[in-house]
């Protein structure tokens, strides 16, 4: 296993603000106030994931490539383990019967997934457009990915210094999508290497099962409270 302290985690301070969200399925729109928080400038890499969990689940192997083929449960378990390694309080309390019992401590100082609203706010970085730059310059997607993921940080970052917020792999967010309709399904954001251009926008929202769903264009990045 790699030494966790030799694997860089570079957190960017995201300022307070307000973000407007929309769900294309329900046509609902809402506004969320965002408190300042920290967000990793990079997707969690395979190197970092292995250094914390000892596991290498990804289809497309490479230390600096984003970890993929991970469920939402895998992602929050990683967050807890990384928190403990760094002497921080874990954010998630996970029961064996995960789907029926999982609690979250919003005041913990450990690592967590960004919320749906935090993710979109951080992705746009004050941009008024659907993307924070020209797609080919900021993202790996169907037209330029050569049917695989790529090392993180090779495309241009957004205005706040965050890389691969669009493209490369989709990202798990913390939120339940619509509990009444979809149960425990969680939000996915950002688009991936397999998506057409229309799927790679800051406002796109998808959802899937937090335990059963794992695929080669879905990963995550970590956040922390300030």
């Amino acid at each position: 296993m790699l030494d966790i302290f030799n694997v860089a985690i570079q957190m960017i301070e995201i300022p307070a603000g307000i973000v407007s969200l929309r769900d294309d399925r329900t046509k609902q729109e809402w506004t969320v106030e965002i408190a300042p928080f920290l967000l990793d400038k990079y997707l969690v890499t395979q190197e970092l994931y292995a250094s914390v969990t000892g596991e290498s689940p990804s289809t497309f192997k490479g230390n600096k490539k984003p970890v993929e083929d991970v469920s939402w449960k895998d992602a929050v378990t990683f967050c807890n383990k990384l928190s403990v390694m760094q002497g921080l309080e874990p954010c998630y309390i996970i029961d064996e019967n995960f789907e029926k019992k999982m609690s979250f401590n919003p005041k913990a100082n450990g690592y967590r997934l960004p919320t749906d609203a935090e993710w979109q706010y951080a992705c746009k970085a004050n941009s008024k457009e659907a993307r924070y730059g020209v797609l080919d310059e900021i993202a790996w997607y169907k037209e330029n990915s050569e049917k695989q993921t790529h090392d993180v940080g090779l495309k241009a970052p957004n205005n706040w210094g965050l890389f691969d917020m669009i493209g490369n792999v989709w990202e798990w967010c913390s939120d339940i999508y619509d509990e009444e309709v979809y149960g425990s399904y969680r939000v996915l954001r950002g688009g991936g290497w397999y998506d057409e251009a229309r799927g790679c926008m800051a406002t796109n929202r998808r959802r899937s099962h937090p335990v059963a769903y794992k695929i080669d264009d879905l990963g995550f990045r970590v956040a922390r409270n300030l």
Side-chain angles (χ1 to χ4, degrees), residues 53 83 92 143 151 156 172 176 178-179 194 214 216 225:
T53 67
S83 298
Y92 302 94
E143 294 301 315
D151 288 2
W172 284 114
I176 288 177
D178 183 338
E179 189 168 18
Y194 189 71
K214 303 182 183 185
D216 59 11
N225 297 330

Side-chain angles (χ1 to χ4, degrees), residues 53-71:
T53 67
E55 299 174 356
S56 180
S58 301
T59 298
F60 303 107
K61 301 299 184 184
N63 280 344
K64 301 302 182 184
K65 289 185 176 184
V67 69
E68 24 86 2
D69 269 328
V70 287
S71 68

Side-chain angles (χ1 to χ4, degrees), residues 165-192:
M165 292 295 290
I166 291 176
N168 219 352
V169 293
W170 286 84
E171 300 182 37
W172 284 114
C173 291
S174 63
D175 303 53
I176 288 177
Y177 178 81
D178 183 338
E179 189 168 18
E180 185 176 340
V181 177
Y182 292 98
S184 61
Y185 276 33
R186 303 282 168 160
V187 175
L188 317 176
R189 289 292 204 139

Side-chain angles (χ1 to χ4, degrees), residues 30-223:
W30 65 101
T31 300
V32 179
E33 291 188 12
I34 304 294
F37 69 103
L38 298 171
L39 187 65
D40 197 342
K41 70 188 299 182
Y42 300 116
L43 294 158
V44 171
T45 63
Q46 295 175 39
E47 180 180 39
L48 176 57
Y49 192 83
S51 72
V52 173
T53 67
E55 299 174 356
S56 180
S58 301
T59 298
F60 303 107
K61 301 299 184 184
N63 280 344
K64 301 302 182 184
K65 289 185 176 184
V67 69
E68 24 86 2
D69 269 328
V70 287
S71 68
W72 187 91
K73 184 182 179 183
D74 292 333
V76 299
T77 299
F78 168 92
C79 289
N80 274 2
K81 288 182 176 181
L82 179 58
S83 298
V84 171
M85 282 181 166
Q86 296 195 357
L88 303 172
E89 181 181 6
C91 292
Y92 302 94
I93 302 170
I94 305 171
D95 186 83
E96 286 185 7
N97 192 349
F98 172 78
E99 284 193 72
K100 293 186 177 180
K101 186 175 181 181
M102 194 289 296
S103 56
F104 174 74
N105 180 359
K107 296 183 179 180
N109 65 354
Y111 292 93
R112 59 177 176 83
L113 298 178
T115 67
D116 184 21
E118 285 175 337
W119 188 94
Q120 180 172 310
Y121 177 71
C123 180
K124 290 179 77 70
N126 286 334
S127 170
K128 304 300 182 184
E129 306 300 326
R131 305 183 185 100
Y132 51 84
V134 177
L135 187 57
D136 278 289
E137 296 176 0
I138 66 171
W140 299 108
Y141 68 113
K142 193 168 188 176
E143 294 301 315
N144 65 9
S145 70
E146 299 180 339
K147 299 182 179 180
Q148 62 181 317
T149 61
H150 292 263
D151 288 2
V152 302
L154 297 181
K155 292 290 186 177
N158 69 8
N159 288 335
W160 290 343
L162 301 165
F163 291 86
D164 298 296
M165 292 295 290
I166 291 176
N168 219 352
V169 293
W170 286 84
E171 300 182 37
W172 284 114
C173 291
S174 63
D175 303 53
I176 288 177
Y177 178 81
D178 183 338
E179 189 168 18
E180 185 176 340
V181 177
Y182 292 98
S184 61
Y185 276 33
R186 303 282 168 160
V187 175
L188 317 176
R189 289 292 204 139
W193 63 265
Y194 189 71
D195 286 272
E196 304 277 359
R198 65 178 178 271
C200 298
M201 296 188 291
T203 52
N204 275 3
R205 303 172 75 244
R206 293 187 184 175
R207 69 274 176 185
S208 200
H209 193 279
V211 179
Y213 192 67
K214 303 182 183 185
I215 196 168
D216 59 11
D217 69 347
L218 174 58
F220 65 102
R221 77 179 67 220
V222 294

